[in-house]
Amino acid sequence: MQRIIQKAKDFNELVMFEHSIFSLPFIFIAMIVAADGWFGLWLLIMGVLAAVSARNFAMGVNRYADIDIDAKNPRTTNRPNVDGRLDKVSIFIFIVVNAAIFVAVAYMINSLAFALSIPILVVLASYSYIKRFSSLAHVVLGVALGLAPIAGVVAVSASIPLWSVLLSLGVIFWVAGFDLLYSLQDMDFDKDNDLYSIPSRYGADATLFISALFHALAVLFWLLFVWAADLGLFAYIAAIGSGFVLYYEQMLVRKDFTKIDRAFFTVNGYLGIAFFVLIIIDRTVS
């Protein structure tokens, strides 16, 4: 039993399960807006399973593909995929199991969700390889998480309305923007190992500018989402408030690069939760 518990802890560390907080709020925001309120216990369970299995799959592929890179990077040498706690076979099985769970959940939701499940997995897996030859990897990561709202509305209504696309575009630029900030930590390592991150190719100043631009676009698309979905005051507060949060994140990193972890994990986690809570309030009082 102790061995099983330890393996579970190792897999949790591998994929950083607690960071699912980035994708979960926005999949449920989309579901609440699509259903105009509570969407039911069944879809809640299916939404959680889909989001968690998709993220586990994506992180598993990333860790599997990056074993050689992580072994060279001093920041990542203690990860379970590098230090021997999890071998490649175990990680591969973990990837396959989570892919199967995601496809099965999509099948149980509706036919459109099932039809989109494999293409979504392809997109989720692509990030791990695109960064080896293109600086667009940051945007691809954004697309991977930006699919969450699309998945949420498909689960509820088996359709993809304009507002869900605008919400997703906001998530794409939000994630790409904070991934740029996070990648500043590995700027020198990426440059030395011929990896195509924007910091390694264009430097810190350009990265900060592009990140700020992406975050401005995120707020713009979230405002357009609120307008297109015909939401109320609290939804506008959520979109505008996210702008202030992202401004704080940008200033935090510019002031001190050692604050990157705080900006990446803490600030972005609060943003998603606050946005979600304000959408609930908006749908409750309107």
Side-chain angles (χ1 to χ4, degrees):
M1 178 59 71
Q2 188 64 35
R3 184 179 177 184
I4 294 174
I5 293 173
Q6 185 57 52
K7 280 293 181 185
K9 289 181 179 179
D10 292 338
F11 276 112
N12 178 64
E13 185 179 340
L14 181 78
V15 302
M16 295 181 288
F17 177 80
E18 61 273 18
H19 296 164
S20 297
I21 195 170
F22 293 144
S23 58
L24 280 172
F26 284 93
I27 190 173
F28 290 131
I29 286 169
M31 294 172 78
I32 287 169
V33 175
D36 197 23
W38 175 234
F39 43 80
L41 180 60
W42 169 252
L43 283 180
L44 173 65
I45 295 170
M46 292 296 100
V48 171
L49 285 175
V52 171
S53 60
R55 188 181 179 280
N56 284 348
F57 168 83
M59 290 296 296
V61 171
N62 183 253
R63 296 293 186 255
Y64 185 88
D66 281 3
I67 290 175
D68 58 331
I69 297 173
D70 289 347
K72 298 176 186 177
N73 189 339
R75 188 176 62 82
T76 57
T77 52
N78 292 325
R79 286 177 175 172
N81 59 321
V82 175
D83 63 14
R85 281 177 287 161
L86 295 173
D87 58 40
K88 293 187 73 172
V89 173
S90 298
I91 297 172
F92 183 77
I93 292 172
F94 178 81
I95 292 168
V96 172
V97 168
N98 278 282
I101 292 172
F102 179 74
V103 173
V105 168
Y107 178 80
M108 289 188 287
I109 291 175
N110 58 51
S111 58
L112 180 57
F114 181 59
L116 293 174
S117 61
I118 298 300
I120 286 174
L121 290 178
V122 171
V123 173
L124 293 177
S126 64
Y127 166 75
S128 303
Y129 300 96
I130 287 177
K131 65 185 176 184
R132 297 172 187 257
F133 60 84
S134 172
S135 297
L136 290 174
H138 307 282
V139 178
V140 173
L141 180 64
V143 171
L145 271 74
L147 290 170
I150 297 290
V153 74
V154 165
V156 173
S157 64
S159 64
I160 305 177
L162 173 62
W163 63 259
S164 67
V165 176
L166 295 169
L167 176 59
S168 291
L169 285 168
V171 173
I172 288 169
F173 285 108
W174 168 51
V175 172
F178 72 63
D179 187 59
L180 283 169
L181 297 179
Y182 189 72
S183 65
L184 285 167
Q185 298 176 101
D186 294 328
M187 180 169 58
D188 294 333
F189 175 83
D190 290 348
K191 189 181 300 182
D192 292 341
N193 289 270
D194 201 31
L195 295 174
Y196 286 74
S197 68
I198 284 178
S200 70
R201 297 288 157 172
Y202 304 104
D205 289 343
T207 300
L208 290 169
F209 173 79
I210 296 169
S211 174
L213 175 62
F214 280 1
H215 279 166
L217 288 171
V219 176
L220 173 61
F221 280 118
W222 282 334
L223 284 168
L224 290 172
F225 146 68
V226 173
W227 167 77
D230 196 25
L231 301 179
L233 174 63
F234 287 98
Y236 278 103
I237 292 173
I240 295 170
S242 69
F244 287 103
V245 173
L246 291 176
Y247 176 79
Y248 170 73
E249 179 179 324
Q250 293 285 331
M251 292 302 102
L252 193 64
V253 173
R254 280 166 168 75
K255 184 177 180 180
D256 186 355
F257 277 14
T258 64
K259 305 291 187 183
I260 288 175
D261 272 358
R262 179 182 172 190
F264 185 78
F265 299 120
T266 307
V267 176
N268 287 300
Y270 284 135
L271 185 153
I273 293 171
F275 208 123
F276 174 57
V277 170
L278 284 165
I279 293 296
I280 291 177
I281 295 172
D282 187 82
R283 292 297 81 199
T284 301
V285 301
S286 63

